Amino acid sequence: MTVYGNFPGSRPRRLRTTPTMRRMVAETRLDAANLILPAFVREGVDAPVAISAMPGVQQHTLDTLRKAAVEAVSAGVSGIMLFGVPEDEKKDARGTAGTDPDGILQVALRAVRQEVGDDLVIMSDLCLDEYTDHGHCGVLTEDGRVDNDATLERYAEMAQVQADAGAHVVGPSGMMDGQVGVVRDALDQTGHEDVSILAYTVKYSSAFYGPFREAVGSSLRGDRKTYQQDPANARESMRELALDLEEGADMVMVKPAGPYLDILAKVADSVDVPVAAYQISGEYAMIEAAAEKGWIDRDAAIMESLTGIRRAGAQMILTYWATEVAQRLGRR
């Protein structure tokens, strides 16, 4: 071929020639310390219950939850986010099982804290939806609307019992206006000044939550569009962010992760607090289902999706693959 002068003088491919070269110049690094494992614990079962829409994920018993926590510690995972699944007959309109000191989530928090101590950051989902017979994230008015301020009173109670049970971090996820400030006050007034708040700052009303509803045995009737964010909106996310920071959030989260990487990047560029993203059940299920069909390389797709979330600015990623990926990273 004819070579014209020094063309091409710049050859980016030189930095892609070998695996070691690519690793050396990688701009984004995924580490086990970036990962948080969401885990479900179910009341009234003596063996784990498989979640059909999330192959490989299960509703734990207390014993298997303890083992999962130990395994996460061994792999180098930083945190575990716990979700309680109460017995159906314990659900009611106010979600009282969520504030019962002997409710399933509080029992699980104590069990995990006793098992792993401070070796894992123990986080608790602070929301009523798992515990209400209507499946909404708050208390309802007589005409069926979610009552924001009455719900905040319940969140304050939840914060206290979860902190008492051993949570290092509480994650108010209901998207009620003012939830972070109310939870912060409740924690501070009950001697839990050291308990952190991971604010679900940006939580969109998403079709990708479907498998999660099986995971928590949801009783939801209707939808959550009056309190979760509209997927069409971006500026609204920045308003929510400003409010959560003003109210005392220690960390902030974007959920879902993959479909909202643009929002994640905006948030990460705007704050000086740690930023998390939740790779949710639908994101997990899509990769597992496509891999089961032989349409994609499962392991490569998992790593690519997590690297993309990390590249967009997440310092912490909640993912159901946390322990598996941490083990894989440790073998590199």
Side-chain angles (χ1 to χ4, degrees):
M1 63 179 284
T2 302
V3 177
Y4 297 95
N6 200 31
F7 175 82
S10 181
R11 294 182 182 267
R13 287 183 58 192
R14 294 184 187 120
L15 301 182
R16 305 170 193 155
T17 51
T18 69
T20 304
M21 175 69 81
R22 294 191 293 273
R23 184 183 66 188
M24 184 179 73
V25 302
E27 300 172 28
T28 302
R29 298 193 188 280
L30 184 65
D31 188 88
N34 301 128
L35 304 177
I36 297 166
L37 176 68
F40 308 101
V41 57
R42 180 169 172 176
E43 189 173 28
V45 295
D46 55 13
V49 178
I51 301 168
S52 64
M54 301 174 67
V57 181
Q58 58 191 7
Q59 296 170 327
H60 285 286
T61 67
L62 287 172
D63 285 342
T64 62
L65 179 64
R66 290 188 188 96
K67 292 175 183 177
V70 170
E71 187 179 19
V73 170
S74 299
V77 170
S78 284
I80 187 168
M81 174 67 81
L82 300 183
F83 298 85
V85 185
E87 294 173 307
D88 285 343
E89 57 269 26
K90 293 186 178 179
K91 295 182 180 183
D92 60 26
R94 293 181 56 80
T96 54
T99 51
D100 180 352
D102 294 319
I104 183 58
L105 180 54
Q106 284 68 252
V107 171
L109 286 166
R110 288 193 292 270
V112 173
R113 188 66 183 266
Q114 183 178 29
E115 189 71 36
V116 299
D118 295 335
D119 290 342
L120 202 59
V121 179
I122 302 168
M123 304 178 171
S124 56
D125 178 60
L126 198 163
C127 196
L128 289 170
D129 60 320
E130 293 101 320
Y131 310 101
T132 55
D133 53 12
H134 48 72
H136 279 286
C137 297
V139 179
L140 302 185
T141 62
E142 290 185 3
D143 61 358
R145 293 179 297 109
V146 175
D147 186 327
N148 191 94
D149 295 358
T151 298
L152 293 181
E153 294 179 14
R154 300 288 294 127
Y155 286 2
E157 296 175 52
M158 293 190 80
Q160 179 180 345
V161 297
Q162 291 178 1
D164 286 345
H168 295 104
V169 178
V170 297
S173 61
M175 292 301 289
M176 296 297 118
D177 294 337
Q179 63 184 14
V180 172
V182 166
V183 167
R184 183 71 271 159
D185 285 346
L187 292 170
D188 292 350
Q189 290 170 15
T190 55
H192 295 298
E193 297 89 351
D194 290 339
V195 174
S196 301
I197 296 176
L198 171 58
Y200 282 61
T201 293
V202 182
K203 185 178 181 182
Y204 283 98
S205 178
S206 173
F208 293 99
Y209 294 134
F212 181 88
R213 290 176 184 156
E214 178 191 348
V216 297
S218 175
S219 303
L220 181 64
R221 298 193 293 269
D223 59 50
R224 300 186 172 118
K225 292 182 180 180
T226 63
Y227 45 102
Q228 294 179 352
Q229 289 177 234
D230 185 342
N233 293 349
R235 287 193 300 271
E236 182 180 28
S237 300
M238 305 312 290
R239 183 183 183 195
E240 294 276 7
L241 175 64
L243 290 168
D244 281 355
L245 293 174
E246 182 181 344
E247 292 173 24
D250 299 289
M251 301 169 276
V252 296
M253 185 194 294
V254 175
K255 180 181 180 180
Y260 298 96
L261 294 181
D262 60 325
I263 305 300
L264 174 58
K266 282 187 176 185
V267 169
D269 287 344
S270 302
V271 300
D272 56 4
V273 299
V275 176
Y278 197 147
Q279 185 182 52
I280 66 169
S281 59
E283 298 174 73
Y284 176 94
M286 287 192 301
I287 289 177
E288 289 287 351
E292 191 275 331
K293 291 285 189 181
W295 294 337
I296 60 173
D297 180 323
R298 176 185 179 274
D299 292 354
I302 291 170
M303 298 305 289
E304 183 177 339
S305 67
L306 291 171
T307 300
I309 296 166
R310 181 84 176 93
R311 187 188 64 243
Q315 294 163 264
M316 303 168 291
I317 304 173
L318 287 84
T319 176
Y320 300 99
W321 290 301
T323 300
E324 175 188 339
V325 169
Q327 292 169 338
R328 193 182 310 162
L329 291 169
R331 291 194 293 268
R332 286 185 172 181

